[in-house]
Amino acid sequence: MRKLGVFLLATVAAALPLAAAHTQTAPAPQAAPAQQPLFTYQEVMVPMRDGARLQTVIMRPTGKTGKLPILLQRTPYGVPGAAPTSMPASWRFLMEDGYIVVFQNMRGQFKSDGDFTMSMALRPKGDKAVDEATDAYDTVDWLVKNVADNNGKVGMMGVSYPGYASAVALAKPHPALKAVSPQAAWNDWWVNDDLHRYGAMRLSYATDWLFSLQNNDQGEDFDYGGKAPIDTYDWFLKLGPVENLDKLYFKGSVPRLTEIIEHPDYDDFWKRQRWTEQLGRTTVPTLHVAGFWDQEDPLGTWKIYEKMESQDPNRLNMIVAGPWAHGTWHSNVDKVGNVPIGRDAGAEFMRDIEAPFFAHWLHGKPGQPSFEAKMFQSGSWEWKTYPKWPAPGATATNLYLQSDGSLSFTAPADGGCREYVSDPANPVPFRARPISRTYPSLEWRWWEAADQRFVDHRPDVLSYVSAPLTEDLTVTGEIAAKLMASTSGTDSDFVVKLIDVLPEDFEPVRRAALGDYTATLNGYQFPIAMEVRRGRYLADPAHATPLTPNKVIAWDVPLRAHDHVFKKGHRIMVQVQSSWFPVIDRNPQKFVPNIYKAKDGDFVKATQRVCAGSMVTLPVMK
């Protein structure tokens, strides 16, 4: 099942009335009033400059008169087959103002002409060839010239792939494009987001997502060889090296997987697709949206914002982030996984930020957004506004990993190390087993917020924990870890997790809604940031090189941007491990030229040591 964009791409059924309990006293049924359509519906094929035609659906709200702006979403996931008969929840605040809503299938998807290559590479400016930016330009141009009663202004928005499709339009923006909101977008599939984490492949997720996108254009799920596995951990462990996925199952039907296998390093194939290199001066008001617990696309939004911010003299570039998993800001969000927020951060975003942004730039309503960065701060569970991002006023503060397993803001006095044995035959799972497939699984949505006690005390996981905090600690900005570490192998991964440990008396009375002792929040190990680095790429991402066995070197592990309050009485924990399976492919721990083509005999145990000087740097806000 494919990832959804900002709008629901299905008709929403009207709720049916409940039958009366006592029919003998119930009043005679009244004829239901005829249901009025909420939108008109039209499907057209929009021509591109090279003659290809793209399947496009145009829906106009029937209750709005006069000229309306156009709100466009381009997607590979399919367009609605009919207009909704009731208002989808994610539309409700936007449609109070009224928009002509347009959905378009990208090239090669469903009825659209051409090939769906998933390439993000853009043609040089002036080149007559087509790319996703020119398709967006041509679509906007056709819409303003051919859609009746539009006001000449177009906005674009979307989450995930539709978020990227919105963002890339900014590389070659049409003059009628007046507002864009890229949400959970991406810019570099080797560095982070859907396919890799700093060169480490996102194995299970890429398997499910790429198959649904490229093996067929109907979003069908991979069948794992004829049946869905109870535990994908076992399935991928038995699979062996990554290339077996293509050899035994995909057999060339998923070109992007083949490209991953043939391009393990950060070579020109990946660098050419870093489309943000063609972003120029920011001329279109842009609202970037990110989730601090986005389990699919956690980094791209920040990088696109950063690039646009470097050329934004008119302050048109802004970013919003909050306690959300992938796209959940378009739903009712009052919890981060199991951790309560105490308010609906999703509805507040849609009502107070997203709808006013488009209303101002597309309808001309007063109230131009005045913020540069707006964060729903976790821990305090309050909205915060900053003049820019990273927010000014934070002090980089080192939290040191001590050889006795503690954490302290005081540098260690000794040069001690802690060690563990990493075994590729028994990798650390990324979430509690059994691990279901990516979609449609509730566990997948919030796994990055899941209680980490399921791996605490494993012999191949090191946990470092602080004393209870004597006052609140606010962390606002970029978090980074540095391990001083070694391996007895010639290649290795290190995973670092920053965790907020809730007090043992956090929840004195177990919530009835949970109904399960194992789900209590007492002592909950709440992950705030997690990331992996692959040793072969420490020296040069473009050219893999072996590590020197048992040599302690620095491993820099970026933990991205966050805005979080570790509350008084909570403890801070850091966990370190060398596998994160099967969301990340196994490192054989023996250097081979192409890690995806390692042989079974290349997977070996290694002794990992984490030594003095290891730290997490926190941007502490006073």
Side-chain angles (χ1 to χ4, degrees), residues 22 29 31 46 50 75 133 201 210 229 261 299 308 412 417 426 469 510 531 534 561 569 579 584 587 611:
H22 303 284
V46 174
D50 65 341
T75 177
M201 181 187 173
L210 293 179
I261 293 170
L299 184 64
M308 294 181 65
C417 302
N426 183 28
L469 297 173
R510 180 162 48 106
E531 194 52 272
R534 181 149 282 179
S579 49
I584 297 297
N587 192 315
C611 300

Short mmCIF file of all heavy atoms in Angstrom, two decimals, residues 22 29 31 46 50 75 133 201 210 229 261 299 308 412 417 426 469 510 531 534 561 569 579 584 587 611:
data_model
loop_
_atom_site.label_atom_id
_atom_site.label_comp_id
_atom_site.label_asym_id
_atom_site.label_seq_id
_atom_site.Cartn_x
_atom_site.Cartn_y
_atom_site.Cartn_z
N HIS A 22 -36.04 0.55 19.43
CA HIS A 22 -37.42 0.09 19.67
C HIS A 22 -38.26 0.52 18.48
O HIS A 22 -38.85 1.59 18.48
CB HIS A 22 -37.97 0.66 20.98
CG HIS A 22 -37.12 0.32 22.17
ND1 HIS A 22 -37.11 -0.92 22.74
CD2 HIS A 22 -36.24 1.08 22.87
CE1 HIS A 22 -36.27 -0.93 23.77
NE2 HIS A 22 -35.73 0.26 23.86
N PRO A 29 -40.16 6.87 9.43
CA PRO A 29 -38.95 7.38 8.77
C PRO A 29 -39.28 8.50 7.81
O PRO A 29 -40.29 8.47 7.11
CB PRO A 29 -38.41 6.14 8.04
CG PRO A 29 -39.58 5.24 7.88
CD PRO A 29 -40.47 5.47 9.07
N ALA A 31 -38.12 10.83 4.54
CA ALA A 31 -37.31 10.71 3.33
C ALA A 31 -36.05 11.57 3.49
O ALA A 31 -36.13 12.74 3.87
CB ALA A 31 -38.10 11.16 2.11
N VAL A 46 -3.64 16.37 -19.68
CA VAL A 46 -2.96 17.64 -19.85
C VAL A 46 -1.67 17.42 -20.65
O VAL A 46 -0.83 16.60 -20.26
CB VAL A 46 -2.65 18.28 -18.48
CG1 VAL A 46 -1.80 19.54 -18.66
CG2 VAL A 46 -3.95 18.61 -17.75
N ASP A 50 6.67 17.90 -24.49
CA ASP A 50 7.18 16.87 -25.40
C ASP A 50 6.07 16.04 -26.01
O ASP A 50 6.32 15.05 -26.69
CB ASP A 50 8.16 15.95 -24.65
CG ASP A 50 7.48 15.16 -23.54
OD1 ASP A 50 6.36 15.55 -23.11
OD2 ASP A 50 8.06 14.15 -23.11
N THR A 75 1.23 13.50 -8.11
CA THR A 75 1.44 12.30 -7.31
C THR A 75 1.70 11.08 -8.20
O THR A 75 1.22 11.04 -9.33
CB THR A 75 0.20 12.03 -6.43
OG1 THR A 75 0.36 10.82 -5.70
CG2 THR A 75 -1.06 11.92 -7.29
N ALA A 133 10.32 19.17 -12.88
CA ALA A 133 10.10 20.61 -12.75
C ALA A 133 9.41 21.17 -13.98
O ALA A 133 8.52 22.03 -13.87
CB ALA A 133 11.42 21.32 -12.50
N MET A 201 21.63 1.25 3.56
CA MET A 201 20.36 1.05 2.85
C MET A 201 19.21 0.78 3.80
O MET A 201 19.32 0.01 4.76
CB MET A 201 20.48 -0.12 1.88
CG MET A 201 19.20 -0.37 1.10
SD MET A 201 19.29 -1.86 0.11
CE MET A 201 17.59 -1.97 -0.47
N LEU A 210 9.42 0.48 -2.91
CA LEU A 210 9.84 0.46 -4.31
C LEU A 210 9.05 -0.56 -5.12
O LEU A 210 8.72 -0.33 -6.29
CB LEU A 210 11.34 0.17 -4.42
CG LEU A 210 12.26 1.26 -3.89
CD1 LEU A 210 13.71 0.84 -4.03
CD2 LEU A 210 12.02 2.60 -4.61
N PRO A 229 5.02 -12.70 5.51
CA PRO A 229 5.69 -13.31 6.67
C PRO A 229 5.10 -12.82 7.98
O PRO A 229 4.63 -11.69 8.08
CB PRO A 229 7.13 -12.85 6.50
CG PRO A 229 7.02 -11.55 5.76
CD PRO A 229 5.83 -11.69 4.84
N ILE A 261 21.78 -1.34 -5.84
CA ILE A 261 22.78 -2.41 -5.75
C ILE A 261 24.01 -2.08 -6.58
O ILE A 261 25.15 -2.34 -6.16
CB ILE A 261 22.15 -3.75 -6.18
CG1 ILE A 261 21.09 -4.18 -5.16
CG2 ILE A 261 23.21 -4.84 -6.34
CD1 ILE A 261 20.24 -5.35 -5.61
N LEU A 299 14.72 14.10 6.88
CA LEU A 299 15.78 15.10 6.68
C LEU A 299 15.53 16.05 5.52
O LEU A 299 15.89 17.23 5.58
CB LEU A 299 17.13 14.41 6.48
CG LEU A 299 18.34 15.33 6.37
CD1 LEU A 299 18.56 16.11 7.66
CD2 LEU A 299 19.60 14.53 6.02
N MET A 308 16.92 27.04 0.40
CA MET A 308 16.13 28.20 0.02
C MET A 308 16.41 29.39 0.93
O MET A 308 16.36 30.54 0.50
CB MET A 308 14.64 27.85 0.03
CG MET A 308 14.25 26.83 -1.04
SD MET A 308 12.49 26.43 -1.05
CE MET A 308 11.77 28.01 -1.51
N PRO A 412 34.96 12.81 30.96
CA PRO A 412 35.49 11.72 31.77
C PRO A 412 36.94 11.97 32.16
O PRO A 412 37.74 12.50 31.39
CB PRO A 412 35.36 10.49 30.87
CG PRO A 412 35.30 11.04 29.47
CD PRO A 412 34.62 12.37 29.58
N CYS A 417 36.99 2.34 28.06
CA CYS A 417 36.11 1.95 26.96
C CYS A 417 35.09 0.93 27.47
O CYS A 417 35.31 0.26 28.48
CB CYS A 417 36.89 1.32 25.81
SG CYS A 417 38.19 2.36 25.10
N ASN A 426 22.71 -12.33 14.34
CA ASN A 426 21.74 -12.01 15.38
C ASN A 426 21.65 -10.50 15.54
O ASN A 426 21.95 -9.95 16.59
CB ASN A 426 22.15 -12.67 16.71
CG ASN A 426 21.13 -12.43 17.81
OD1 ASN A 426 19.94 -12.26 17.55
ND2 ASN A 426 21.60 -12.41 19.05
N LEU A 469 17.15 14.53 36.15
CA LEU A 469 17.42 15.96 35.98
C LEU A 469 16.85 16.75 37.14
O LEU A 469 15.71 16.51 37.58
CB LEU A 469 16.83 16.45 34.66
CG LEU A 469 17.42 15.83 33.38
CD1 LEU A 469 16.63 16.29 32.16
CD2 LEU A 469 18.89 16.20 33.22
N ARG A 510 -2.58 3.45 35.92
CA ARG A 510 -2.52 2.98 34.53
C ARG A 510 -3.75 3.44 33.77
O ARG A 510 -4.88 3.30 34.23
CB ARG A 510 -2.42 1.45 34.52
CG ARG A 510 -2.34 0.85 33.14
CD ARG A 510 -1.82 -0.57 33.23
NE ARG A 510 -2.52 -1.32 34.26
CZ ARG A 510 -3.43 -2.26 33.99
NH1 ARG A 510 -3.73 -2.55 32.76
NH2 ARG A 510 -4.03 -2.89 34.96
N GLU A 531 20.02 7.64 14.68
CA GLU A 531 20.65 7.64 13.36
C GLU A 531 21.76 6.60 13.30
O GLU A 531 22.25 6.13 14.34
CB GLU A 531 21.20 9.03 13.03
CG GLU A 531 21.57 9.23 11.57
CD GLU A 531 20.44 8.87 10.62
OE1 GLU A 531 20.36 7.68 10.24
OE2 GLU A 531 19.64 9.77 10.27
N ARG A 534 27.73 4.42 8.61
CA ARG A 534 28.39 3.25 8.04
C ARG A 534 29.88 3.55 7.90
O ARG A 534 30.27 4.53 7.24
CB ARG A 534 27.75 2.90 6.71
CG ARG A 534 28.33 1.69 6.01
CD ARG A 534 27.26 0.97 5.18
NE ARG A 534 26.40 0.16 6.05
CZ ARG A 534 25.36 -0.57 5.61
NH1 ARG A 534 25.06 -0.57 4.31
NH2 ARG A 534 24.65 -1.28 6.44
N ALA A 561 17.56 18.09 13.45
CA ALA A 561 16.98 19.20 14.21
C ALA A 561 15.85 18.70 15.11
O ALA A 561 15.05 17.85 14.70
CB ALA A 561 16.45 20.26 13.25
N GLY A 569 13.20 15.58 36.64
CA GLY A 569 12.87 14.24 37.12
C GLY A 569 13.06 13.16 36.07
O GLY A 569 13.13 11.97 36.42
N SER A 579 23.70 -2.63 14.71
CA SER A 579 22.75 -3.11 13.70
C SER A 579 21.39 -2.55 14.05
O SER A 579 21.09 -2.19 15.20
CB SER A 579 22.73 -4.63 13.63
OG SER A 579 22.61 -5.22 14.91
N ILE A 584 17.52 -1.28 8.34
CA ILE A 584 18.83 -1.04 7.74
C ILE A 584 19.45 -2.39 7.43
O ILE A 584 19.40 -3.32 8.25
CB ILE A 584 19.74 -0.24 8.69
CG1 ILE A 584 19.15 1.16 8.97
CG2 ILE A 584 21.15 -0.12 8.12
CD1 ILE A 584 19.05 2.06 7.75
N ASN A 587 25.49 -4.90 7.99
CA ASN A 587 26.88 -4.71 7.59
C ASN A 587 27.61 -6.03 7.86
O ASN A 587 27.56 -6.54 8.98
CB ASN A 587 27.51 -3.59 8.41
CG ASN A 587 28.85 -3.15 7.86
OD1 ASN A 587 29.70 -3.98 7.51
ND2 ASN A 587 29.06 -1.84 7.80
N CYS A 611 34.70 4.47 23.42
CA CYS A 611 35.74 4.93 24.34
C CYS A 611 35.55 6.38 24.79
O CYS A 611 34.66 7.09 24.30
CB CYS A 611 37.12 4.76 23.67
SG CYS A 611 37.49 3.04 23.24
#
